[in-house]
Each structure stands twice: as structure tokens, then as C-alpha cells.
Amino acid sequence: LAKLNKDDDARREHAGWIVKHAAGSRYELPALVTVATALESQIKAAGGNAPKQLQSEALDVYTRLSQALGDTPEILKTQKNARIALSKRAEYAQRLGQHDVADAASEKLLAVFPKDRKYLRRAALASFHAGRYEKSLEHWETLLRGLPAGDDEWMEAKYHQIAALAKSDKSTASRVYKQFALLYPELGGDRWRGKCEALGKQLAEG
């Protein structure tokens, strides 16, 4: 009724009640979508200053949405809404530092869409911060092969490639870093120079 009357505030209020009190009912799914849409608007309006509480609510809603829609390879392959819900779950988990959750969700998406650059980057970051450096290294190297050498995204991948490699083979990481610094003496400009210099110093100290 609120939707028909174009009363967005009432619609969000009633949808929120359903999300809290009617889990498992046939009304849950459309209510979750309504609440997710409202949260996205609030978070977008806040820009980079979105309160952690809002992001936590978004993670909870997208987790429930993903569970309701399903995340099997067949469902992810054929249902766009299921992909969006799982991708958003990975995004908010990563924002909140829940890297294991972000990693697991990203790997499910990547298993179905192995060439998707957005999924690949998120999986690379999530696995890196979750301490799964071998898997992260694999993802970053895949990205490096498909990105224009020297651009910002390539620099991000190069930095993380060397940082991940340093966790298992410092001598190789040091050699790769020296070659990188020789070819790109600017070390990625203002955004990446400080991080790359710190990484180079760490490798030099052994």
C-alpha cells in the first residue's frame, strides 16, 4: 500500500519490520530488497563517511538476500540478482574487515566468472588480507597479464604481487621489485610511491 501511495518512508519502515520479524515468510525477499535499496541510498549519500553501523546492516541484509536467492554456480550463472547480492556481501564484508567472508564470497563468483576483472580484484584483495598469499599472488598475476602496463590498476596489482610474493619467497620478491623499480622509477606516482618504497626497504632489510 505504501508503494502504491509512493510513500517511501512508510515503505522502508514496513519493509524493515518484515525483515526483523518475518524471516522465512514469502514477504521476506521483497522486504530485503526494499531495505537493501534504502541502505544503498544512505551509504551513497554519506560518501566515504558512511557509518560503520549502516555498512554492518547492509552486510546483514545482503547476506540474507544471498542466502534466500542462492549462490550455487548454476544460480550465479543464470540469475543476476543472486550475483549482485553475493557481490555486495563480499564488498561490505571487505569494507568491514571481514576478509574471510569477502574471500569466500569472491571465490564463489570467480569460479563462475573467472575473467571478470571486478571479481578478480576483490578476490585478490580479500585473499591477501585474509593471509592466503599464494591464492592472492595467483589472482594478482592474472590481473597483471590483462592490464595496461604502468597504469594505476596495474600498479596496484604489481605492488600486491610483490607483497604477496615476499611472504613466501623474499629473494624472488626482491629481484622482481628491483626490476620493477628500474623500469618504473616513479613507482606509480603519488598514490603508490610511498607504499612501494616501504616495501622495497622491507625487502632490502631481509
Side-chain angles (χ1 to χ4, degrees):
L1 183 60
K3 181 179 180 181
L4 289 172
N5 291 330
K6 297 183 179 179
D7 187 343
D8 289 337
D9 289 339
R11 184 184 178 201
R12 287 194 292 269
E13 179 185 350
H14 297 316
W17 188 94
I18 293 171
V19 167
K20 289 180 180 179
H21 302 289
S25 75
R26 64 193 180 98
Y27 304 109
E28 181 185 20
L29 187 56
L32 285 168
V33 171
T34 298
V35 172
T37 302
L39 286 168
E40 284 291 330
S41 296
Q42 290 177 273
I43 290 168
K44 184 177 181 180
N49 299 312
K52 187 175 181 179
Q53 179 60 33
L54 274 184
Q55 297 183 59
S56 295
E57 289 177 25
L59 175 57
D60 180 61
V61 167
Y62 280 115
T63 296
R64 288 175 61 179
L65 259 179
S66 182
Q67 290 169 344
L69 294 168
D71 60 6
T72 65
E74 185 58 33
I75 289 173
L76 292 174
K77 189 180 296 184
T78 59
Q79 296 187 25
K80 182 179 180 181
N81 287 341
R83 295 197 297 273
I84 292 172
L86 186 58
S87 179
K88 285 291 183 179
R89 182 186 185 190
E91 176 186 338
Y92 284 107
Q94 191 159 302
R95 287 192 192 190
L96 292 165
Q98 297 184 27
H99 302 299
D100 285 335
V101 175
D103 187 26
S106 298
E107 289 296 338
K108 285 183 179 180
L109 289 162
L110 201 57
V112 182
F113 303 98
K115 295 181 180 181
D116 188 290
R117 190 176 293 176
K118 182 179 72 173
Y119 296 156
L120 190 57
R121 177 181 178 270
R122 187 175 292 141
L125 282 169
S127 55
F128 182 85
H129 291 297
R132 298 183 178 92
Y133 299 113
E134 289 186 11
K135 175 61 69 175
S136 182
L137 178 61
E138 179 183 327
H139 292 329
W140 289 119
E141 289 183 339
T142 300
L143 279 167
L144 283 169
R145 289 193 291 270
L147 291 168
D151 75 1
D152 190 66
E153 290 182 343
W154 187 91
M155 286 292 174
E156 178 187 44
K158 192 66 180 178
Y159 167 81
H160 283 95
Q161 176 210 26
I162 299 170
L165 186 58
K167 297 295 182 178
S168 59
D169 188 346
K170 278 196 172 183
S171 62
T172 300
S174 181
R175 176 174 54 78
V176 173
Y177 179 84
K178 288 176 182 177
Q179 182 182 42
F180 161 65
L182 182 65
L183 294 173
Y184 299 92
E186 292 297 315
L187 299 178
D190 293 340
R191 182 181 176 191
W192 292 105
R193 186 182 297 112
K195 290 183 177 180
C196 288
E197 288 176 345
L199 180 58
K201 183 179 180 181
Q202 175 189 335
L203 290 169
E205 291 173 350

